[in-house]
Amino acid sequence: EDFKGRVHAYINGRNFAFSYNLNGGENKFVQPFGRMGGRYLVLFALCDISVREIGVSEIGYPVTKKELSFKDPLDQKIYDVAARTNYLCMHSHYEDCPWREQAFYGMDAALQMKYAYEFFGETTFPRENLRLFYSTQREDGLFELCAPSEIGTTIPSFSLFAAMALADYYDFSGDEKFVSESRGAIEKLLDAFAKRLDKGLIARFFEKKYWNFYEWAEDSANADQLSKAPRDHLPKVYDLTLNCMFIYAAKIYNELRGKNIETDGMKKAARETLYVPGKDAFRLSNLSEKMSVLGNSLAVLAGGGDEKK
């Protein structure tokens, strides 16, 4: 937080404040906000006023935390803080953070759901979140950047996270009905990725309406030599993260629905194109020599590792 002069409500082009016009005399104002969060309530008045009472009432989703006990105090604190943070991100939908943006993204929600099953043992909220997210499917087969919205730009990898979340939901709930209901959206999504296969790998989504984001790290957030290149002359780019995520998503969907989406050819192509023998690791793309822990962790999950090591 920055307290130089005042608490800043206007951050990076976004204003998180609101205004209220008073009438002369006594004013009473109560407003339920669906998306309002913060650590501070700051009031700026343009004239002299007398404040009798001001405050915020917290309203959260009705769940009960599983009270687990750990011998190690640090383990206990980690569990309690993690459960509290997860709870704060549950309102009308899952939120990427309980403070500022509060948007419903596929990746953030998929991870929050996975932990919430163990924290709260509840399935209605994640099911309805998944139903909402799948309802935003676009003509290209991907889901909107966040739901509900029509933004125009989306993150392809986040759509895959939303697909993987269905398997997590089924593992905890056993809800075959909802899995069947979601089948069409997930298969349309996976087919959209499969159609981009080129030389055994899925080529990066290069049009302006896509943001190839994977993690806040160099070479994983579109920060590469292609960002300023003419888009009609771009070379094919094969990102390790995107390909491994598709392989993994196809694997768990095959197990979930008894399908047979073939990915052995992709694993072979990834090893031939992206594996660096001298480093015993995968590079982030065919145009980069950079490597990351996330990318190689996904490679292991996708079955790209050497079983002898």
Side-chain angles (χ1 to χ4, degrees):
E1 292 86 6
D2 181 357
F3 291 101
K4 294 179 180 178
R6 55 183 285 181
V7 177
H8 292 173
Y10 192 77
I11 306 171
N12 296 331
R14 287 176 287 186
N15 194 341
F16 299 95
F18 64 92
S19 61
Y20 176 58
N21 296 322
L22 298 169
N23 296 314
E26 183 174 328
N27 290 258
K28 292 182 179 180
F29 174 74
V30 178
Q31 174 65 50
F33 288 101
R35 295 176 67 170
M36 174 66 71
R39 295 186 63 183
Y40 308 96
L41 181 62
V42 181
L43 178 66
F44 297 100
L46 302 181
C47 61
D48 291 334
I49 62 174
S50 176
V51 180
R52 295 183 180 179
E53 182 181 3
I54 186 169
V56 176
S57 298
E58 177 186 314
I59 303 296
Y61 190 80
V63 290
T64 302
K65 187 184 78 171
K66 295 180 181 179
E67 296 296 344
L68 302 183
S69 297
F70 299 86
K71 293 181 180 179
D72 189 325
L74 179 58
D75 290 339
Q76 188 69 55
K77 185 174 183 178
I78 290 172
Y79 175 79
D80 291 338
V81 170
R84 173 67 175 168
T85 302
N86 198 294
Y87 170 74
L88 290 174
C89 289
M90 299 168 67
H91 285 102
S92 56
H93 50 63
Y94 283 109
E95 301 162 356
D96 65 327
C97 68
W99 168 56
R100 193 181 70 181
E101 190 173 358
Q102 297 182 310
F104 176 22
Y105 290 99
M107 181 185 74
D108 305 69
L111 298 177
Q112 289 166 13
M113 290 176 197
K114 196 176 186 72
Y115 290 105
Y117 296 132
E118 300 303 327
F119 290 143
F120 311 117
E122 197 268 351
T123 59
T124 301
F125 191 69
R127 181 186 68 237
E128 296 309 310
N129 273 257
L130 288 173
R131 179 177 281 121
L132 173 61
F133 207 85
Y134 298 157
S135 73
T136 70
Q137 192 161 43
R138 301 150 31 125
E139 290 185 3
D140 60 5
L142 277 66
F143 304 121
E144 287 287 352
L145 177 63
C146 43
S149 67
E150 291 183 4
I151 295 177
T153 299
T154 194
I155 300 176
S157 66
F158 279 24
S159 290
L160 289 174
F161 268 106
M164 291 185 277
L166 183 63
D168 291 332
Y169 170 77
Y170 180 76
D171 286 345
F172 190 82
S173 69
D175 185 352
E176 178 67 32
K177 181 180 179 181
F178 181 69
V179 171
S180 297
E181 174 189 324
S182 307
R183 177 178 179 177
I186 301 304
E187 292 184 6
K188 181 179 178 180
L189 169 75
L190 296 177
D191 185 59
F193 278 84
K195 286 179 179 178
R196 301 185 76 88
L197 275 169
D198 180 77
K199 299 179 181 179
L201 292 173
I202 292 174
R204 180 189 292 182
F205 292 71
F206 66 88
E207 296 93 333
K208 287 185 177 180
K209 59 184 177 180
Y210 301 112
W211 177 18
N212 297 289
F213 172 83
Y214 309 115
E215 57 178 327
W216 290 112
E218 187 178 0
D219 287 353
S220 287
N222 256 11
D224 57 32
Q225 64 270 45
L226 299 180
S227 60
K228 296 181 181 180
R231 291 182 177 269
D232 56 346
H233 293 89
L234 290 178
K236 288 290 180 66
V237 185
Y238 308 104
D239 288 335
L240 172 70
T241 307
L242 189 66
N243 279 274
C244 288
M245 285 189 65
F246 176 80
I247 293 170
Y248 186 63
K251 173 180 177 293
I252 61 176
Y253 190 71
N254 285 343
E255 295 170 351
L256 181 66
R257 298 299 306 172
K259 302 288 288 185
N260 187 29
I261 302 173
E262 180 58 54
T263 57
D264 287 342
M266 290 184 65
K267 295 177 188 177
K268 183 175 182 294
R271 196 161 185 87
E272 292 175 349
T273 305
L274 303 174
Y275 185 69
V276 182
K279 301 281 189 178
D280 281 334
F282 290 83
R283 54 186 178 147
L284 284 172
S285 80
N286 60 311
L287 296 186
S288 172
E289 298 304 318
K290 299 286 183 65
M291 299 176 179
S292 78
V293 173
L294 174 62
N296 279 274
S297 297
L298 284 169
V300 172
L301 287 174
D306 187 340
E307 296 181 358
K308 298 178 182 179
K309 297 182 179 180

